[in-house]
Amino acid sequence: MLRLRRSIFTRLLSSPSASPISHLHRLLSAVSPSPGLNVEEYLVDRCGLTRAQAIKASAKISHLKSPTNPDAVLSFLAGLGLSTGDVSAVVAKDPKLLCSAVDKTLAPVVTGLAGLGLSRDEIARLVLVARDRIRCRSIVSYLNYYLPIFGSFHNLLRALKFNNSLLGYNLERTVKPNVTFLRECGLHDCDIAKLSIAAPSMLTNNLDRVRATVACAERLGVPRASPMFRHALHALAFDTEDTVAAKLDYLKKTFNWSDAEVAIAVSRAPLVLTRSKATLQGRSDFLMSEVGLEPAYIAHRPAILSYSLEGRLRPRYYVLKFLKENGLLQRERSYFSAVIVTEKVFVDRWREETWQIWLCNTICR
């Protein structure tokens, strides 16, 4: 650099005719490097990103000076079977992927995944959901641990689509202790897999938080041996004790339930705690005000609160109401209400008459 400066000033001083400023400009232009890679244009032209996506992504990889490595990454992705649209989606979500070394990072990851039994197509689908984790060799260890729990790559991929952070939390300090504890609670791996899709925080929260959720489920009358235990953990995974208390209070007021009736309803259908206030109010208005069901009846059959109001409850109620009004259904209100809840009763009671079976099957589709 010192020699360069001396050379510039020597030539400036030895040139009496030329303007010193213009001569300096020409010299600096001669020694300046040629323009590097236009990252934004590369993302648009070669990766298929929109202009808006390219502007956002280019800020993360503005240090790229050559297309050599990005070209190698794109070729590698194409070799896995990713379409142009897939590549665009992957790069838009994780532009730093273009900076990865194919031979030192991406190829070893793919080799490790193939060693676990994943096909090229499965690896390509994993790339689409794993985002930046595909750039980490540790992803092989994660899949090696998760695949036996989820039972298949398809099930694991479904979970990752909901929450790919399962690949980001520390396995040894966070995930494994939680899985071990849930197994101690009586959950099988298939239950843990389903729970991780509905409530991934049950695997990624700290162990104390998971223990607190289990204790809350038990206080609500859902023991570990209950078939509803997994559903209770799902319902409680995102709530604090104050939130749960507020939901229980809302259920009591909306359905005129006593403390005992709330306990019965929640123990039999814990997911009622995940329903919105608007949904619960709509069920209350219909079942209690229009159909005339008693609060205790609903509390002992809380699954009815999860049925679609417009797609299931109302249509069946109006069909049965028509039959009764026209003298075709001479039954008491209790049976009339039960038919709304379950199609099995409807089928069993009217199996003898062909036309009534046809009507039932039509309603129950």
Side-chain angles (χ1 to χ4, degrees):
M1 181 60 71
L2 182 59
R3 291 180 180 178
L4 177 60
R5 291 175 179 172
R6 288 175 179 174
S7 174
I8 290 173
F9 283 106
T10 299
R11 294 183 64 178
L12 281 172
L13 295 174
S14 64
S15 179
S17 57
S19 165
I21 299 299
S22 61
H23 205 73
L24 177 62
H25 178 74
R26 288 196 300 274
L27 287 173
L28 291 176
S29 298
V31 298
S32 296
S34 57
L37 175 67
N38 188 322
V39 176
E40 184 180 320
E41 294 302 325
Y42 182 88
L43 291 171
V44 173
D45 297 338
R46 294 282 286 110
C47 302
L49 271 64
T50 65
R51 182 63 61 181
Q53 289 175 324
I55 292 173
K56 182 179 179 180
S58 62
K60 300 179 181 180
I61 54 173
S62 58
H63 60 281
L64 282 177
K65 302 302 180 184
S66 167
T68 302
N69 197 79
D71 282 348
V73 172
L74 294 180
S75 178
F76 184 78
L77 295 177
L80 288 177
L82 272 72
S83 67
T84 302
D86 290 338
V87 171
S88 298
V90 170
V91 174
K93 293 175 181 176
D94 180 31
K96 290 184 179 180
L97 180 64
L98 296 176
C99 305
S100 301
V102 171
D103 56 341
K104 294 181 180 180
T105 302
L106 300 181
V109 166
V110 169
T111 300
L113 294 174
L116 297 178
L118 270 65
S119 66
R120 190 183 73 163
D121 177 65
E122 289 173 333
I123 295 173
R125 285 188 285 160
L126 179 64
V127 171
L128 291 173
V129 300
R131 299 191 182 184
D132 60 317
R133 304 310 301 176
I134 202 66
R135 296 189 275 115
C136 304
R137 293 195 184 190
S138 60
I139 192 175
V140 179
S141 300
Y142 279 92
L143 263 72
N144 186 47
Y145 178 73
Y146 281 132
L147 282 171
I149 294 176
F150 284 84
S152 70
F153 174 76
H154 173 76
N155 292 337
L156 175 58
L157 188 69
R158 184 184 172 204
L160 294 177
K161 287 180 179 178
F162 279 93
N163 187 0
N164 67 1
S165 67
L166 289 172
L167 300 175
Y169 284 84
N170 190 287
L171 273 179
E172 300 300 327
R173 292 198 302 267
T174 304
V175 177
K176 288 185 178 182
N178 288 340
V179 170
T180 299
F181 175 64
L182 292 173
R183 285 170 174 165
E184 292 172 354
C185 290
L187 292 181
H188 299 294
D189 283 356
C190 61
D191 298 317
I192 295 174
K194 293 175 182 177
L195 181 61
S196 69
I197 294 175
S201 61
M202 291 301 296
L203 297 189
T204 58
N205 273 337
N206 64 69
L207 183 56
D208 289 341
R209 179 74 179 95
V210 175
R211 290 182 185 276
T213 302
V214 169
C216 185
E218 292 176 319
R219 286 196 300 272
L220 290 177
V222 188
R224 300 181 183 189
S226 170
M228 292 291 107
F229 182 64
R230 171 172 63 85
H231 300 291
L233 296 183
H234 170 196
L236 300 169
F238 307 101
D239 294 337
T240 63
E241 289 188 10
D242 290 341
T243 303
V244 173
K247 289 183 176 182
L248 294 175
D249 187 59
Y250 185 79
L251 285 171
K252 288 172 59 178
K253 293 178 180 178
T254 304
F255 293 97
N256 296 325
W257 283 339
S258 64
D259 290 339
E261 287 170 337
V262 170
I264 291 172
V266 172
S267 66
R268 296 187 178 188
L271 290 178
V272 70
L273 293 172
T274 66
R275 304 300 173 185
S276 68
K277 289 184 177 181
T279 296
L280 293 173
Q281 187 61 58
R283 300 299 186 277
S284 174
D285 293 341
F286 174 71
L287 295 173
M288 297 176 65
S289 301
E290 188 169 352
V291 178
L293 298 183
E294 298 296 329
Y297 184 92
I298 300 173
H300 285 80
R301 300 162 183 80
I304 193 174
L305 301 178
S306 65
Y307 296 165
S308 169
L309 187 59
E310 302 301 329
R312 182 168 182 173
L313 296 178
R314 285 189 187 279
R316 296 182 184 186
Y317 171 70
Y318 291 140
V319 168
L320 295 171
K321 183 179 179 181
F322 172 83
L323 293 176
K324 181 166 182 159
E325 289 175 348
N326 287 273
L328 301 175
L329 184 63
Q330 301 297 328
R331 302 290 176 182
E332 296 297 324
R333 176 180 294 275
S334 59
Y335 170 61
F336 186 40
S337 303
V339 176
I340 303 173
V341 180
T342 170
E343 59 268 28
K344 185 178 185 301
V345 177
F346 192 100
V347 173
D348 291 344
R349 290 294 185 92
W350 297 94
R351 193 181 301 275
E352 307 81 31
E353 288 85 10
T354 303
W355 73 271
Q356 288 169 331
I357 293 178
W358 172 84
L359 177 60
C360 170
N361 291 335
T362 300
I363 296 173
C364 296
R365 284 175 185 171

